[in-house]
């Protein structure tokens, strides 16, 4: 176990021997914040922070709690610990966060380094605390990190209300996060319903008034939702979470997280098979997207047998809207993906050899975190771009309509040239912004570098998260993503579009993080109306690391 003195001694050694230090935890991050391929005049020294895994409940009240946690604590362990505590709501003991990232295999330090988030906005008739709808970073009350103190690198605790209490809340790897104390809410139960029968034109209609099943109406009613839309399919996978203290009769009570075995339990060799197949033959992307949509629809109901899938995928049928579905593929295409289909079927049979209520996952209920966490190491291994778009709540529907229209147009444009760079789904979630109203701490500021830190325009009260997934080696991936990125920054002022630090951004034809003009200029503009400008945050970070002890080559570009 590292001691504070031992860490300070290690930092001194690294400084004097031309090393830079990086902490690593679960290695879930896609961006090169830790290790990059760029040349460096220093060698990297990686510190395993998993030893910092202590947990302590500092205070327990009926309306909130305070937990102290080591930076190496895994998210899943933290959530379980909180839900096991006495106190909080007498009818639902324990504590939780307002929203959580989907992966459970994240370290707390990792979440705080990139501003981890889930899905949550205010909704009608809510009795929940609505002040913590942004990032996990905004729940931090104090943070213990390593910084330069004028003489050496030493351990220091920053309180949220002090001058630089906002600085390391989204740290981007600019320090080592040792420990955090966090504000948590009384535990609560969520029902998560999945729908695969709502056409994308209905979800993403131009105005909310066109249907009760538009995104805007759904979040007004429930507050939490996610869309997973597989390429070239017509019916996205929509998840809607509702706060339900008591279990609805039709819901299945969950005993833990990861309740979608058909998507979160894909063997490595199957994931590699899918990637190599699509990279070598991109024209199979439409068939694979349609197949994933069909598997999801069947598996959510408790089964995805090959025979049933084959009939569904190869024979056109009528949809509930009366049109002939286009989500069909050829028998030859179906057979190519036989290993993937068998793996999914085997996974579902592993839970139960018969189709039963025990394997259904389209209507779940239980502790909030158990329904919100569903991504693990064995989920299909893909990469993603990521943007946090700040909007007024009333503009969400029209923006998503415009965005999905652009997506479909580009999808068709590339397909007409025989190119299929986006091999994975579009994912959409919505949160609030990071504000300090609920902390009641004098002088507290939102996390300086959080993608959800509120702008000076208080009308921009919502954040739409856009992620487009694919495999890293897909031909033309960089070109497509650059077009999408360009459209976003032409559609809205830069200060309304922040990058999701852990995902892909700054694209050119070569791929993510390669657009030097974007990194040097556009990225800075995105914080122009935040509580702290990009230039101000960079200057403050540099004061605490003047010798670039924590700076990988990529970090030096972001924090020069």
């Amino acid at each position: 176990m590292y001691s504070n003195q031992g860490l300070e001694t290690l930092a001194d050694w690294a400084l004097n021997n031309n090393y830079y230090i990086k902490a690593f935890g679960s290695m879930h991050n896609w961006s090169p914040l830790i290790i990059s391929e760029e040349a460096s005049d220093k060698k990297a020294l990686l510190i395993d922070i998993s030893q910092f895994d202590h947990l302590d409940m500092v205070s327990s009240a009926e309306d909130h709690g305070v937990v102290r946690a080591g930076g190496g604590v895994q998210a899943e362990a933290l959530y379980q610990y909180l839900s096991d505590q006495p106190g909080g709501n007498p009818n639902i003991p324990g504590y939780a966060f307002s929203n959580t990232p989907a992966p459970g295999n994240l370290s707390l330090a990792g979440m705080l380094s990139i501003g981890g988030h889930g899905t949550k906005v205010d909704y009608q008739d809510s009795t929940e605390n609505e002040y913590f709808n942004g990032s996990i970073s905004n729940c931090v009350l104090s943070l213990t990190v390593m910084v330069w103190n004028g003489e050496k690198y030493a351990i220091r605790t920053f309180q949220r209300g002090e001058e630089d209490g906002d600085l390391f809340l989204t740290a981007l790897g600019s320090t080592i996060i040792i420990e955090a104390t966090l504000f948590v809410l009384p535990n609560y139960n969520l029902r998560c319903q999945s729908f695969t029968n709502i056409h994308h034109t209905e979800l993403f209609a131009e105005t909310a008034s066109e249907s009760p099943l538009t995104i805007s109406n759904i979040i007004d009613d429930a507050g939490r939702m996610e869309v997973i839309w597989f390429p070239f399919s017509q019916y996205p996978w929509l998840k809607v979470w509702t706060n339900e203290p008591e279990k609805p009769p039709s819901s299945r009570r969950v005993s833990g997280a990861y309740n979608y075995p058909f998507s979160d339990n894909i063997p490595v060799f199957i994931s590699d098979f899918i990637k190599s197949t699509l990279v070598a033959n991109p024209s199979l992307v439409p068939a694979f997207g349609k197949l994933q949509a069909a598997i999801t629809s069947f598996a959510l109901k408790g089964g995805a047998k090959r025979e049933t899938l084959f009939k569904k995928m190869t024979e056109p049928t009528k949809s509930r809207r009366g049109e002939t579905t286009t989500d069909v593929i050829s028998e030859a295409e179906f057979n190519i993906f036989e290993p993937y289909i068998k793996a999914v079927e085997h996974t579902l049979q592993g839970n139960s050899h018969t189709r039963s209520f025990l394997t259904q996952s389209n209507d779940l209920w239980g502790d909030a975190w158990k329904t919100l966490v569903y991504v693990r190491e064995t989920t299909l291994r893909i990469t993603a771009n990521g943007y946090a778009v700040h909007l007024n709540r009333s503009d969400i529907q029209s923006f998503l309509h415009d965005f999905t229209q652009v997506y479909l147009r580009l999808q068709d444009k590339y397909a007409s040239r025989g190119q299929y760079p986006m091999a994975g789904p579009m994912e959409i979630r919505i949160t609030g912004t990071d504000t300090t109203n609920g902390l009641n701490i004098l002088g507290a500021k939102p996390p300086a570098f959080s993608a959800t830190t509120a702008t000076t325009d208080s009308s921009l009260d919502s954040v739409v998260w856009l992620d487009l997934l694919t495999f890293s080696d897909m031909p033309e991936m960089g070109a497509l993503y650059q077009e999408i990125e360009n459209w976003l920054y032409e559609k809205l002022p830069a200060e309304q579009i922040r990058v999701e630090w852990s995902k892909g951004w700054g694209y050119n034809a070569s791929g993510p993080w390669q657009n030097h003009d974007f990194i040097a200029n556009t990225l800075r503009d995105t914080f122009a109306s935040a509580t702290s400008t990009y230039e101000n945050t960079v200057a403050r970070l540099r004061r605490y690391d003047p010798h670039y002890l924590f700076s990988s080559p990529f970090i030096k570009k972001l924090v020069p």
Side-chain angles (χ1 to χ4, degrees):
M1 180 70 179
Y2 298 117
S3 65
N4 285 2
Q5 183 178 357
L7 283 172
E8 292 175 3
T9 300
L10 183 63
D12 185 63
W13 179 88
L15 181 63
N16 292 321
N17 286 274
N18 205 38
Y19 279 79
Y20 67 89
I21 295 177
K22 301 305 297 180
F24 73 94
S26 303
M27 305 296 285
H28 184 80
N29 173 59
W30 280 296
S31 64
L33 295 174
I34 305 300
I35 297 293
S36 63
E37 297 178 353
E38 299 168 90
S40 173
D41 58 350
K42 293 183 178 182
K43 292 171 283 187
L45 178 64
L46 300 182
I47 297 178
D48 180 1
I49 64 167
S50 62
Q51 297 180 54
F52 306 132
D53 61 354
H54 56 282
L55 286 162
D56 176 38
M57 206 67 196
V58 177
S59 64
S60 304
E62 189 169 318
D63 63 342
H64 77 281
V66 176
V67 64
R68 180 184 296 113
V73 166
Q74 290 286 292
E76 186 177 351
L78 173 60
Y79 306 150
Q80 183 68 66
Y81 175 84
L82 289 172
S83 67
D84 288 342
Q85 298 305 301
N89 186 327
N91 299 318
I92 310 172
Y95 297 89
F97 294 96
S98 182
N99 66 77
T100 67
N105 63 318
L106 300 173
S107 67
L108 175 60
M111 283 197 290
L112 298 180
S113 290
I114 51 86
H117 69 93
T119 176
K120 173 64 167 43
V121 293
D122 301 353
Y123 59 96
Q124 295 171 1
D125 302 322
S126 171
T127 59
E128 297 187 49
N129 185 322
E130 303 292 3
Y131 288 128
F132 298 95
N133 292 341
S135 69
I136 296 290
S137 296
N138 197 41
C139 300
V140 172
L141 301 175
S142 70
L143 199 64
T144 301
V145 298
M146 179 178 284
V147 296
W148 179 256
N149 66 7
E151 297 179 357
K152 66 173 186 175
Y153 284 92
I155 305 299
R156 174 176 166 179
T157 297
F158 288 84
Q159 301 297 326
R160 185 65 180 270
E162 68 177 278
E163 177 63 26
D164 288 326
D166 64 324
L167 188 57
F168 294 105
L169 301 181
T170 304
L172 301 187
S174 294
T175 186
I176 304 291
I177 297 176
I178 311 298
E179 179 184 273
T181 59
L182 301 107
F183 187 97
V184 290
L185 301 170
N187 201 11
Y188 56 100
N189 293 323
L190 288 179
R191 179 189 193 184
C192 181
Q193 294 174 278
S194 288
F195 304 91
T196 56
N197 61 345
I198 306 171
H199 198 271
H200 67 83
T201 56
E202 191 169 4
L203 279 176
F204 303 119
E206 188 170 5
T207 64
S209 61
E210 293 180 40
S211 167
L213 298 176
T214 58
I215 297 298
S216 285
N217 286 324
I218 290 167
I219 59 174
D220 284 349
D221 290 341
R224 298 175 175 90
M225 72 93 225
E226 178 180 53
V227 173
I228 300 177
W229 184 11
F230 299 104
F232 296 92
S233 67
Q234 302 299 306
Y235 294 87
W237 176 10
L238 169 69
K239 297 179 192 170
V240 179
W241 288 265
T242 51
N243 191 315
E244 303 277 358
E246 302 293 332
K247 188 183 86 67
S250 63
S251 299
R252 175 167 69 87
R253 184 192 299 269
V254 297
S255 58
Y258 313 115
N259 292 290
Y260 307 106
F262 60 90
S263 67
D264 64 31
N265 195 22
I266 305 298
V268 173
F269 77 93
I270 293 295
S271 189
D272 291 344
F273 159 74
I274 294 296
K275 178 180 178 179
S276 61
T277 299
L278 296 181
V279 170
N281 192 350
S283 64
L284 289 171
V285 165
F288 184 63
K290 295 172 184 179
L291 178 62
Q292 281 190 295
I295 285 176
T296 298
S297 183
F298 277 107
L300 285 168
K301 299 169 187 174
K305 294 185 178 298
R306 183 197 181 282
E307 295 78 11
T308 308
L309 273 172
F310 181 81
K311 181 176 177 63
K312 169 72 174 178
M313 295 304 302
T314 59
E315 298 181 10
T317 59
K318 295 287 187 181
S319 72
R320 72 179 181 90
R321 295 156 59 93
E323 68 230 354
T324 301
T325 179
T326 58
D327 285 353
V328 293
I329 63 178
S330 70
E331 182 176 349
E333 290 171 326
F334 186 92
N335 291 335
I336 288 173
F337 295 108
E338 190 85 27
Y340 171 65
I341 296 164
K342 287 184 176 179
V344 171
E345 187 177 32
H346 176 74
T347 295
L348 292 171
Q349 288 176 343
N351 288 345
S352 173
H353 288 288
T354 61
R355 180 175 170 183
S356 72
F357 181 70
L358 295 177
T359 60
Q360 293 176 12
S361 50
N362 59 353
D363 190 351
L364 307 172
W365 179 88
D367 283 1
W369 77 269
K370 293 177 182 177
T371 70
L372 291 167
V373 173
Y374 66 90
V375 173
R376 64 200 315 179
E377 304 95 311
T378 49
T379 302
L380 195 64
R381 291 147 189 84
I382 48 184
T383 188
N385 68 1
Y387 305 93
V389 184
H390 289 238
L391 296 168
N392 182 275
R393 178 76 167 259
S394 63
D395 294 329
I396 289 176
Q397 188 66 38
S398 60
F399 170 80
L400 286 175
H401 169 79
D402 292 348
F403 178 75
T404 53
Q405 290 299 303
V406 169
Y407 163 73
L408 290 170
R409 177 177 58 79
L410 289 174
Q411 181 178 258
D412 290 344
K413 184 180 85 169
Y414 278 78
S416 70
R417 303 193 303 226
Q419 298 169 343
Y420 302 86
M422 188 175 148
M426 173 194 297
E427 295 186 354
I428 297 172
R429 289 178 286 175
I430 304 173
T431 66
T433 58
D434 288 338
T435 62
T436 60
N437 299 342
L439 293 173
N440 296 317
I441 298 175
L442 185 64
K445 297 186 288 290
F449 259 160
S450 168
T452 41
T453 289
T455 72
T456 53
D457 183 351
S458 60
S459 71
L460 302 176
D461 55 4
S462 304
V463 180
V464 175
W465 296 87
L466 303 172
D467 297 319
L468 305 181
L469 283 65
T470 193
F471 294 103
S472 58
D473 298 330
M474 286 303 296
E476 303 301 319
M477 178 263 287
L480 170 66
Y481 283 11
Q482 184 178 21
E483 287 201 64
I484 290 170
E485 186 172 85
N486 288 345
W487 179 86
L488 285 170
Y489 285 96
E490 291 168 1
K491 172 76 172 177
L492 295 169
E495 61 198 53
Q496 286 185 234
I497 309 171
R498 310 253 176 85
V499 302
E500 189 168 2
W501 295 113
S502 61
K503 306 287 179 63
W505 40 267
Y507 284 88
N508 64 19
S510 300
W513 320 297
Q514 303 299 314
N515 189 326
H516 303 301
D517 179 69
F518 183 94
I519 293 173
N521 298 302
T522 306
L523 194 60
R524 285 149 174 74
D525 294 340
T526 64
F527 285 87
S529 63
T531 307
S532 176
T533 65
Y534 195 98
E535 291 77 12
N536 174 269
T537 301
V538 166
R540 289 189 292 150
L541 284 171
R542 188 51 53 221
R543 287 203 303 269
Y544 289 110
D545 185 16
H547 303 288
Y548 295 89
L549 182 66
F550 306 112
S551 294
S552 65
F554 187 63
I555 290 289
K556 282 187 177 181
K557 290 182 178 180
L558 302 181
V559 189

